Amino acid sequence: MAEQDEQGGEVHNVEDILARLKELADRQDKVSIGDVVQAMGQRSFGPFLLIPALIDISPIGSIPTLPTLLAVMIVITAVQLLLGRKHLWLPGFITNRSAKAEKVRKAADKLGGLARWLDRWFHGRLPMLTSPLFQKIAALVIIGLTFTIPPLELIPLATTAPMAAIAAFGLAMLVRDGLLMLIAFAASIAAIGFGLSMLGSGASGG
């Protein structure tokens, strides 16, 4: 069953998410995280794991300190998922952050090809592996991944690995794809190993 927003519409896949971001960008000069929460619906946890991770992977993710802010947003979402909350809550210092509509639109456009590929390949397999229990286990792993983001932000593009794993978890929950959930667990192990090696290389190089 697809996740529903507060207005009753359904978020089916990544292309739906990008379409809503473009709609926001077309209606206003700036798009805040609060606007995105309103558009996606507070009951939709999957998109709020997926969207920040995709933003980090996009060109916008190169903005200094943004990966850490995105990691904070992800960990707040993951903790609420772990606790079994039904509605997502984000603090004002996150929901009030905004980006120019033009940047949001460009990011959504650049992610369009990836979105189509993801939607074509990932949907509805082994849905039992996306049950609440598996989602809580995933939330624990996601929280662990977020702690690698701040130090990795000092290394160009290094946050892509943990964010890609987090994006896989978010997409798996969104489209109820258990196979992708398994891939996300495997990617998390690889991302943590990559992060440790990058940090080790940076420390030895310093």
Side-chain angles (χ1 to χ4, degrees), residues 91 93 108 142 166 203:
F93 78 89
I142 289 167
I166 292 169

Side-chain angles (χ1 to χ4, degrees), residues 104-125:
V104 173
R105 191 181 300 107
K106 284 182 178 179
D109 287 338
K110 286 182 178 294
L111 290 169
L114 175 62
R116 287 189 292 274
W117 185 84
L118 291 172
D119 290 341
R120 183 168 65 247
W121 287 101
F122 300 111
H123 46 78
R125 295 166 296 185

Side-chain angles (χ1 to χ4, degrees), residues 5 9-10 23 26 39-40 65 104 114 117 133 139 149 161 169 181 188 192 206:
D5 69 13
E10 294 186 343
E23 287 172 8
D26 288 340
M40 302 296 168
T65 74
V104 173
L114 175 62
W117 185 84
L133 173 61
I149 302 298
F169 279 122
M181 186 74 89
S188 299
I192 291 172

Side-chain angles (χ1 to χ4, degrees), residues 9 12 51-52 63 71 75 81 84 122 130 141 147 155-156 184-185 187 189 202 205:
H12 293 282
I51 292 171
I63 298 174
V75 77
L81 180 62
F122 300 111
T130 62
V141 176
F147 284 105
I155 305 171
F185 280 117
I189 296 171

Side-chain angles (χ1 to χ4, degrees), residues 15-203:
E15 288 185 276
D16 282 351
I17 290 173
L18 296 184
R20 295 195 184 193
L21 290 177
K22 288 181 182 179
E23 287 172 8
L24 286 172
D26 288 340
R27 292 203 304 263
Q28 50 208 59
D29 295 330
K30 290 188 175 182
V31 177
S32 71
I33 293 176
D35 294 330
V36 177
V37 172
Q38 184 72 23
M40 302 296 168
Q42 290 177 298
R43 289 175 289 180
S44 299
F45 283 81
F48 289 99
L49 297 171
L50 177 61
I51 292 171
L54 290 180
I55 290 173
D56 180 85
I57 295 168
S58 79
I60 292 180
S62 61
I63 298 174
T65 74
L66 181 60
T68 295
L69 176 67
L70 295 170
V72 171
M73 179 177 171
I74 289 168
V75 77
I76 291 173
T77 302
V79 167
Q80 292 177 74
L81 180 62
L82 181 63
L83 296 176
R85 284 182 58 90
K86 301 299 182 184
H87 293 80
L88 177 65
W89 171 85
L90 293 173
F93 78 89
I94 290 180
T95 58
N96 292 333
R97 291 294 294 265
S98 63
K100 291 182 179 179
E102 181 182 359
K103 286 188 175 181
V104 173
R105 191 181 300 107
K106 284 182 178 179
D109 287 338
K110 286 182 178 294
L111 290 169
L114 175 62
R116 287 189 292 274
W117 185 84
L118 291 172
D119 290 341
R120 183 168 65 247
W121 287 101
F122 300 111
H123 46 78
R125 295 166 296 185
L126 305 175
M128 72 288 294
L129 296 181
T130 62
S131 68
L133 173 61
F134 279 94
Q135 289 192 25
K136 288 184 178 182
I137 296 172
L140 279 173
V141 176
I142 289 167
I143 291 168
L145 287 167
T146 60
F147 284 105
T148 70
I149 302 298
L152 287 176
E153 186 179 345
L154 302 175
I155 305 171
L157 303 178
T159 60
T160 299
M163 284 297 196
I166 292 169
F169 279 122
L171 180 60
M173 294 177 197
L174 175 64
V175 300
R176 299 293 188 264
D177 193 316
L179 179 58
L180 181 55
M181 186 74 89
L182 292 177
I183 292 172
F185 280 117
S188 299
I189 296 171
I192 291 172
F194 169 79
L196 290 174
S197 68
M198 291 292 288
L199 292 174
S201 299

